[in-house]
Amino acid sequence: MVALVLSGDKPAASIDPSTDHFPDHRWTPHTGLKELCDTMNIVAYKRRDLGWWFVAPVYGRLDLLPSSNRTERSDEWMRRLGVIFGYPSSAIDYFLGAKGEWTEPRERVANGQFSSDEMVDAGFVVYRHDDSVEGYERAIETGRRIRDRLEGLAEEWDVPELATVVSEHQQQLLDEVTPEKTVQ
């Protein structure tokens, strides 16, 4: 998602950096993220009450952050986060109204509604889309565009590591959505 912020395709993203993201960094993972963002001329901001960092092209985008430090998040608080990240309003509305109802992608594959490859593309969508068949169809198309864009950026920017991350993410998603084979 940070690559999509860098490219201007996404207005902001969140990240919780770990040593997996910055395995060879000489300080902490958070310092590595901050240095990366400084190098790329984008903003990395962390609020003390949240466990993750916000990444955006400009500080002005982060002015939209909810100011509440409460641990319990209201619908309005969550809506503002969705707007900051550039999620479609229909996805934000669905997320707020769904109250935890969700069909796992693996179930959609197991019951034959979608293939594993289709569900992998849907996995590139980071927001909660409508849980209907039509919602998954939209997510598959959106995810395919996101994956293609990331692969294109890897080539355009000559950053093979980005292509590797996309490929590894595809494999991880494939492992998650493929129903386990029964042993005979």
Side-chain angles (χ1 to χ4, degrees):
M1 294 302 104
V2 173
L4 294 175
V5 171
L6 282 171
S7 69
D9 290 287
K10 188 162 175 43
S14 65
I15 185 171
D16 185 9
S18 70
T19 52
D20 294 338
H21 298 108
F22 300 93
D24 299 323
H25 199 274
R26 60 191 178 278
W27 298 301
T28 66
H30 297 299
T31 303
L33 174 66
K34 183 73 173 122
E35 283 187 8
L36 173 67
C37 290
D38 287 348
T39 299
M40 299 298 181
N41 200 28
I42 61 174
V43 177
Y45 171 75
K46 183 174 187 326
R47 284 196 8 199
R48 288 182 294 162
D49 63 313
L50 297 174
W52 62 86
W53 288 70
F54 293 93
V55 178
V58 294
Y59 277 106
R61 185 73 187 177
L62 302 178
D63 285 343
L64 299 172
L65 282 172
S67 57
S68 170
N69 289 333
R70 297 176 302 157
T71 55
E72 193 172 310
R73 308 299 185 211
S74 67
D75 284 356
E76 292 76 22
W77 198 97
M78 298 302 288
R79 183 176 302 282
R80 285 179 79 172
L81 279 184
V83 168
I84 291 168
F85 296 143
Y87 299 161
S89 59
S90 61
I92 295 169
D93 292 341
Y94 178 79
F95 174 79
L96 294 174
K99 304 296 182 207
E101 297 172 19
W102 185 252
T103 307
E104 290 298 325
R106 180 185 292 249
E107 293 174 47
R108 298 280 183 175
V109 173
N111 68 22
Q113 289 176 315
F114 297 99
S115 71
S116 293
D117 289 336
E118 289 171 317
M119 286 292 101
V120 165
D121 282 334
F124 278 89
V125 175
V126 296
Y127 55 81
R128 187 60 59 105
H129 54 80
D130 178 356
D131 192 36
S132 67
V133 170
E134 295 79 19
Y136 269 96
E137 288 170 344
R138 286 189 299 276
I140 290 165
E141 286 303 313
T142 300
R144 188 172 295 131
R145 284 193 303 273
I146 291 169
R147 180 182 46 80
D148 289 346
R149 178 65 172 146
L150 290 169
E151 290 170 343
L153 289 171
E155 186 175 320
E156 178 184 331
W157 293 345
D158 192 26
V159 180
E161 295 85 354
L162 178 56
T164 299
V165 167
V166 171
S167 178
E168 288 174 355
H169 187 59
Q170 280 180 283
Q171 186 58 54
Q172 177 188 2
L173 291 168
L174 186 61
D175 292 344
E176 291 173 7
V177 303
T178 302
E180 296 181 39
K181 297 176 182 156
T182 52
V183 179
Q184 303 265 343

